Amino acid sequence: MLKLDEPLLIEVSGTLAIGSVAMASNKTLIGTGKNPTLIGNLYLRSGATNIILRNLTFTNPMNKKGKGGGDGVTIRGGKMVWIDHCTFVDCGDGCIDITNGANDVTVSWCKFYYVKQPEHRYTMLTTGRTVKVKKKKKLKTVRVTLHHNWWAQGCNSRMPAARKADIHMYNNYFNCPGNFYCTNARADASILSESNYYQEVQNPIYAERGGRLKTRDNLFDRCTGKAERRDDKVFKPPYEYTVTKVKKVPEMVKRGAGAR
């Protein structure tokens, strides 16, 4: 994980309905007290940088007719973002969407799950964009790190789905029976996947349409469908990190992930 400067601290307690709120640069938003919860969408737009979100529950649910709701957190061009020990439940669109040139985003020790939402249970989209440089098209790649996260009950897909993105993921736990797929590298994406534990899920991890995938020591426990083991050429993470043995991942992540 890349290091961030220490930003201004803002404490959140209780339950707040925020609608859709844009977050400015150089802020830490941290939950305190019992079950600090934000209802709505926190939006990190282009130009927002150096932001930490910690110990918060995010929800943005659909109504009873399956309409409305939206992302829990939208990072649309934001940079140097760390989301740590947060819980995402019943978000009507994505739990976290990282798009449109966002960069250097780390999501760690978070829990994703759905209780009441019947459809559109897509947790995380990570996608860059195509920009024009002197009349030529150039791919702008999203860089994302995912570690020690728990995809739990009700998660259906996009854990994550990646296009035009470099994704490093290690020691994550996937336990969402009845899903469609988990991790997917699509066009112009590369995923380095290390010691992730997939349990009783369908289509744990695979690449398609030009996506690249390098896997090391993933464990597939009673899974079905596509569980690829590949050694494609991918990026090298620009930071030091320590990987826990994969058999220890479920206990460790269940004990530590989510808002505390």
Side-chain angles (χ1 to χ4, degrees):
M1 186 188 71
L2 298 176
K3 292 183 178 180
L4 281 71
D5 296 330
E6 191 64 28
L8 176 68
L9 178 64
I10 301 172
E11 294 185 348
V12 176
S13 61
T15 299
L16 298 176
I18 62 173
S20 182
V21 173
M23 191 164 180
S25 297
N26 302 311
K27 302 290 189 297
T28 289
L29 202 61
I30 187 167
T32 62
K34 185 177 181 180
N35 194 29
T37 301
L38 298 180
I39 304 173
N41 172 243
L42 195 64
Y43 181 59
L44 282 59
R45 59 192 169 192
S46 180
T49 185
N50 195 37
I51 292 170
I52 298 173
L53 309 177
R54 180 175 290 154
N55 195 39
L56 292 161
T57 293
F58 292 88
T59 186
N60 195 2
M62 293 178 171
N63 61 28
K64 293 181 179 179
K65 295 181 179 180
K67 305 294 183 180
D71 293 345
V73 174
T74 303
I75 308 174
R76 187 173 173 81
K79 295 178 173 61
M80 299 297 291
V81 178
W82 182 18
I83 304 175
D84 179 62
H85 281 102
C86 289
T87 296
F88 293 82
V89 55
D90 287 338
C91 293
D93 196 357
C95 294
I96 306 173
D97 274 1
I98 306 168
T99 65
N100 202 40
N103 233 333
D104 297 327
V105 177
T106 297
V107 181
S108 60
W109 295 100
C110 290
K111 182 178 180 180
F112 307 91
Y113 70 103
Y114 296 83
V115 177
K116 298 179 179 179
Q117 188 161 300
E119 57 185 18
H120 208 92
R121 292 174 281 113
Y122 310 150
T123 63
M124 186 183 298
L125 180 65
T126 56
T127 179
R129 60 177 178 168
T130 301
V131 295
K132 289 185 178 180
V133 181
K134 294 182 179 180
K135 298 182 180 180
K136 293 182 180 180
K137 290 184 177 181
K138 179 181 179 181
L139 297 179
K140 192 165 186 179
T141 301
V142 173
R143 295 191 296 266
V144 179
T145 302
L146 307 172
H147 69 87
H148 297 94
N149 299 296
W150 181 8
W151 278 271
Q153 71 183 77
C155 294
N156 182 265
S157 58
R158 296 184 183 176
M159 310 178 217
R163 297 193 306 269
K164 301 176 186 173
D166 290 343
I167 311 295
H168 181 208
M169 49 191 303
Y170 64 94
N171 288 156
N172 298 287
Y173 178 45
F174 302 81
N175 177 224
C176 42
N179 72 305
F180 177 39
Y181 72 87
C182 294
T183 306
N184 174 225
R186 303 176 185 176
D188 301 308
S190 62
I191 295 179
L192 173 59
S193 174
E194 305 179 273
S195 295
N196 297 291
Y197 198 112
Y198 295 87
Q199 185 175 49
E200 296 184 274
V201 294
Q202 180 174 254
N203 299 317
I205 183 169
Y206 62 100
E208 62 180 342
R209 291 176 285 177
R212 301 184 304 280
L213 184 62
K214 186 180 184 71
T215 61
R216 296 171 178 161
D217 302 320
N218 291 331
L219 195 153
F220 305 107
D221 178 9
R222 289 165 288 167
C223 296
T224 59
K226 301 175 184 177
E228 294 187 341
R229 296 174 172 86
R230 295 174 56 158
D231 190 25
D232 297 340
K233 185 177 180 180
V234 298
F235 62 96
K236 181 179 179 180
Y239 46 79
E240 295 182 359
Y241 61 99
T242 301
V243 177
T244 301
K245 290 183 178 180
V246 68
K247 289 185 178 180
K248 296 181 179 181
V249 166
E251 180 182 357
M252 176 186 294
V253 171
K254 285 191 289 185
R255 186 175 63 245
R260 312 314 296 165

